[in-house]
Every structure is written in C-alpha cells, then in structure tokens.
Amino acid sequence: MRAFEYFTATDSKHAVALLAEHAPARVLAGGTDLLADLKSSPSHAPKTVVDISRAADMRGIEVNARGLCIGALVTHSEIMASTVIRDLFPALADAAHTIGAVQTRNLGTLGGNLVTAVPSVDSGPTLVALDAQVTIAGPAGHRTMPLSEFFVAPRRTALKPDELLVEIVIPAENLGKPAHFLKMGLRKGQALALVNAASSLRIDAKKNTCKDVRIALGAVAPTVVRAKTAEKFLEGRAATAENFAEAGRLAVADAKPISDMRASADYRKDLVAVLAKRTLEAACAQSKAAKQKGARK
Amino acid sequence: MTDVTLKINGETRSAAVPPETTLLKMLRESFSLTGAKLGCDVGDCGACTVIVDGLPVNSCLMLAGQADGREVLTIEGLATPDHLHPIQKTFEDCASLQCGFCGPGVIMSSKALLDANPNPSVAEIRDALAGNLCRCTGYTKMIEAVQQAAQVMRSAKSKRAA
C-alpha cells in the first residue's frame, strides 16, 4: 500500500467534517474491500483515509417507529447473530452468511458492502425486496433515499465525496414481511454470486393470493434490479407453484446478465428463473408458517 | 506515524508505525511475531488469521491503527514452553498439517470456533474454516483434529468444574 494520511473519526458528524476537510478521501470501515483495493490497485492510492470504524453512533440494530434501523457499521457477523433480525427477517441473516468467510464477516460491514456496490452485492437483494431506505449524512445534514436508487452503476453509488452512508432502514410497515434470499456461487465458501435473488410478499389468507410482491435480483445487471414484470404478474394472483414458476420465467426478462469467466449469460438466465421461483415459494411458505403460529397462539 | 498501544497475547505492547501498516505487518515486523503469515494479502487465504477481541479476523485487512486499544491473540499466545494447546496437540496427533504455512491461521480459526461453540458439528467446523485455504491436506484431517480438540477441551473443562 502507498502511504496516506490517516484520520480517525469519533462519530458520523466528525467523519463528515473530516471528509469535507480532506476531500477527496477514502472511507475505511471494515477494510475488507478498501484495503484489498488499495493493495491491488496502487493507482487508487488516496491522499487521505478517514477511519470511521470507531464511530459509535453508526453501530447498533434497533426497531423503532421508523422500522428496523441497522447502523452502517454493523458487521455481517452481527447481523447473523442478531435475534431481532433473525426473528423479523431470517433472509437478512442468510444473506449475511453467504458473504466471504468468518474472518471477513467479522470485519466487513453492511454499509461497506452496499457502498462498494458491486453488481453481485449479497446484502442488496433482500434489502431492496423489503423497500429499504438509506440515511446519508452530509455537511448539510441527513437525507434519505430508497436503496434501489442508491445503487447507480457498478461500484458507484449516489454518495457525494463528502457524504457518508450512516444507516439502513427497513420501513415499519414491512416489519416481519415474509422474505427469502438465495445465492448461487461456484462453491460454498468465499464465492461471488453468479446470481443472487430475494423475494418478499404477503399472502391473503382467505383468497390465497399474493400481494406486495417484490423480487430483487443481483449480479445480472449493472446494479441490483427489481423484476417488475414478474412482480406485476404475481400481484393479486393465486399463490400456486405454477404461478411462482411463471413469475420466475418472467423475471428473466428483467435481467440483463453478461457472460464472464464465472458463468455464461444463458446459465445466469436459467438461474434467475429458478432462484426467483424458489425465493417466492419460500417467502410464501414463511407467510403460511407465521399464520399457523399466530393461529395457535 | 500512528501510535498504537494494544494487548498482544496478554502483554501490553506499543509501536509507532506508518498509517498504511496493517496489523499483520506490525505483528511480524514491529513485534517479531511471525506466526501469522502473509499469504494472499487480500483476505482470501486466512493465513494471517488472528483473534481480535475474541473474533477471528484477517490481520492483513486491518490497519494497525484500528487495533489500537484492542486485545489480540496470535498463535504465539497459545502454547506454553512445556505444553502445546489442545488444538495444536490434536493437529499434531491427527497429522492435520503438511507444509504448515496455513497452520497458524487454521488453528486460530479453530480456537475462536471452540471458544464460542465447544461442541461444533462438522458443518459448523467447515463453516468456521471456510476462510482458511490449505493446498496440502484436503481439510479432512483438520476437521478430525478440531473434533478431537473439542472433546479434549470439554473434558478438561468438566474436570476443572468437578
């Protein structure tokens, strides 16, 4: 690594001030993406690194009136271990488990995973399928936007150089909404996704129909994309295996995968159909299991 | 320069290092603790694994400054001059290492696993070691060694309790 100046932020406000003062600087959180990048691409050498890993106000997982709020510095291991998250959204814990390996999950943060914004970002699909919002801190204060708009292009987000992603919020109306995440990689450990997918939906118990359907796909477009054709098809339709399979087939049209060293575009399209179908089925099963549990009480 | 004071293997140590120094480089070059290895240097191979505040991490992906004030355990902190740590002993008994380069990382990952989960399943052991690459052994004997170490450590603990 080339030499750089190093500043440690005590909280998010301090971090934003440091970013403004030393622009252009790179932000260091868990380091699993940044340090690997600085080592492999010496041309990326920044003049300044602002270390936010000690910013205490960017940690913590809590449910409040806004919904489920996850600090940007929460690590993937913390997401996996959080009983709040496992109760409300097991899909988020499942997605965290597919990232890297234990050592990188102990360092890597949710915010960092989203800010790096690779097309295969494993934290992305579940959060997009749950209509997550991001809170961004800047010199003028905070602003929020949907996560789906935060992703702009491969490795590019809506963040300005003096801004910081501080929090991810799943809105209150979606607390406990059934959701499921699946990822297909070339092996079980430390694999990049060939395709990852998440679906969320609600089932009308009386009519057995789907509503509020969201299907989000990763690694098949420049950013995480919603399979809106498939969502629209399923909205109000019966929750049947045939309809989930058809939604999977329709999701392929919403994906624009490329061929690369890991997989061909055609194989990725097949995976989209299968993963979309399976995540829909699993979210549906979760919804029915939750209702049975509720009925027993 | 960045001033770093931290606890390594129970002992408080200090160093002043350039800001771009990783925890791994500081351990090896400032403190001559060469057990943790520089392998891929980007967090894929796990040869640099050490335990920071109870959690296994890639020391190649942490700046020395980020370890300031924290507690680090390296492979050098496991054995005493007279006794190997039970995990080191079972790795020896099961012939779990060949060239040994990955060993310190694998053993630190195993230590962190057994501290958190004294009776892991094979699937849990595999998950805990997924971030440690070994080109010699095929992992099977490592998994056996972790299972045996778990047994040894559990019975030692129940003996202490009794």
Side-chain angles (χ1 to χ4, degrees), chain B residues 10-32:
Chain B
E11 208 180 309
T12 302
R13 313 280 297 260
S14 296
V17 294
E20 67 276 13
T21 309
T22 60
L23 171 60
L24 175 65
K25 192 176 162 91
M26 180 176 71
L27 289 173
R28 293 178 59 86
E29 296 179 13
S30 303
F31 302 126
S32 301

Side-chain angles (χ1 to χ4, degrees), chain B residues 57-128:
Chain B
V57 301
N58 304 105
S59 61
C60 76
L61 291 182
M62 189 182 236
L63 290 183
Q66 292 184 293
D68 183 52
R70 305 180 75 171
E71 225 169 284
V72 178
L73 183 67
T74 72
I75 188 77
E76 288 89 348
L78 293 194
T80 62
D82 308 321
H83 290 287
L84 289 179
H85 185 277
I87 303 174
Q88 292 171 313
K89 182 77 176 64
T90 56
F91 266 68
E92 189 183 45
D93 292 346
C94 297
S96 305
L97 298 171
Q98 288 176 32
C99 88
F101 188 86
C102 72
V106 175
I107 288 171
M108 295 317 283
S109 288
S110 305
K111 164 91 167 74
L113 169 70
L114 295 180
D115 286 347
N117 180 357
N119 193 10
S121 66
V122 169
E124 286 168 332
I125 297 171
R126 285 181 174 274
D127 191 51

Side-chain angles (χ1 to χ4, degrees), chain A residues 152-234:
Chain A
V152 173
R155 295 185 176 273
R156 265 207 14 239
T157 67
L159 282 181
K160 300 193 185 97
D162 56 357
E163 286 184 324
L164 199 63
L165 170 63
V166 291
E167 186 186 49
I168 297 91
V169 182
I170 296 176
E173 66 267 23
N174 280 350
L175 288 182
K177 185 180 180 190
H180 196 76
F181 170 86
L182 284 175
K183 162 176 169 177
M184 187 65 83
L186 290 179
R187 51 184 185 276
K188 283 182 190 158
Q190 307 219 72
L192 288 181
L194 302 178
V195 175
N196 53 24
S199 297
S200 75
L201 48 66
R202 291 191 175 86
I203 303 288
D204 184 314
K206 281 199 191 109
K207 293 187 267 180
N208 192 39
T209 53
C210 306
K211 59 178 178 179
D212 304 329
V213 181
R214 301 280 186 279
I215 304 167
L217 307 169
V220 291
T223 64
V224 175
V225 286
R226 291 256 304 272
K228 293 199 175 170
T229 321
E231 291 177 0
K232 216 169 145 190
F233 164 79
L234 214 49

Side-chain angles (χ1 to χ4, degrees), chain A:
Chain A
M1 263 184 293
R2 300 244 186 106
F4 49 71
E5 274 195 292
Y6 176 69
F7 297 96
T8 305
T10 50
D11 57 25
S12 59
K13 216 171 172 179
H14 186 207
V16 169
L18 286 169
L19 287 176
E21 196 184 332
H22 299 285
R26 297 289 299 271
V27 174
L28 171 66
T32 55
D33 284 331
L34 181 73
L35 295 193
D37 182 44
L38 298 189
K39 289 176 191 187
S40 42
S41 316
S43 61
H44 292 186
K47 204 169 78 52
T48 307
V49 168
V50 173
D51 177 5
I52 60 166
S53 62
R54 291 173 199 267
D57 63 329
M58 292 171 64
R59 300 195 164 278
I61 299 166
E62 68 162 16
V63 176
N64 57 32
R66 291 182 297 145
L68 172 68
C69 304
I70 308 175
L73 287 180
V74 169
T75 65
H76 306 302
S77 296
E78 286 166 347
I79 289 175
M80 285 168 61
S82 160
T83 48
V84 173
I85 289 181
R86 297 175 77 103
D87 280 353
L88 290 171
F89 302 113
L92 276 184
D94 292 344
H97 198 167
T98 70
I99 296 171
V102 179
Q103 295 96 317
T104 34
R105 291 196 292 268
N106 283 337
L107 290 172
T109 64
L110 177 62
N113 194 237
L114 299 175
V115 168
T116 299
V118 292
S120 61
V121 51
D122 287 318
S123 305
T126 315
L127 289 170
V128 168
L130 290 165
D131 309 319
Q133 299 271 321
V134 292
T135 308
I136 295 168
H142 284 49
R143 64 183 178 119
T144 61
M145 65 162 64
L147 175 62
S148 53
E149 290 169 26
F150 180 74
F151 296 128
V152 173
R155 295 185 176 273
R156 265 207 14 239
T157 67
L159 282 181
K160 300 193 185 97
D162 56 357
E163 286 184 324
L164 199 63
L165 170 63
V166 291
E167 186 186 49
I168 297 91
V169 182
I170 296 176
E173 66 267 23
N174 280 350
L175 288 182
K177 185 180 180 190
H180 196 76
F181 170 86
L182 284 175
K183 162 176 169 177
M184 187 65 83
L186 290 179
R187 51 184 185 276
K188 283 182 190 158
Q190 307 219 72
L192 288 181
L194 302 178
V195 175
N196 53 24
S199 297
S200 75
L201 48 66
R202 291 191 175 86
I203 303 288
D204 184 314
K206 281 199 191 109
K207 293 187 267 180
N208 192 39
T209 53
C210 306
K211 59 178 178 179
D212 304 329
V213 181
R214 301 280 186 279
I215 304 167
L217 307 169
V220 291
T223 64
V224 175
V225 286
R226 291 256 304 272
K228 293 199 175 170
T229 321
E231 291 177 0
K232 216 169 145 190
F233 164 79
L234 214 49
E235 198 67 36
R237 270 185 217 262
T240 62
E242 294 74 33
N243 283 339
F244 292 142
E246 179 59 18
R249 280 191 288 276
L250 289 170
V252 175
D254 297 306
K256 293 169 192 66
I258 55 165
S259 293
D260 64 11
M261 61 189 281
R262 277 183 284 275
S264 67
D266 280 344
Y267 182 55
R268 286 194 163 96
K269 285 180 183 170
D270 286 349
L271 284 177
V272 166
V274 172
L275 296 188
K277 179 188 74 158
R278 287 183 187 166
T279 53
L280 288 164
E281 283 171 347
C284 174
Q286 208 184 97
S287 162
K288 291 183 174 166
K291 277 184 189 114
Q292 270 175 11
K293 209 170 143 193
R296 274 204 300 276
K297 278 179 193 166

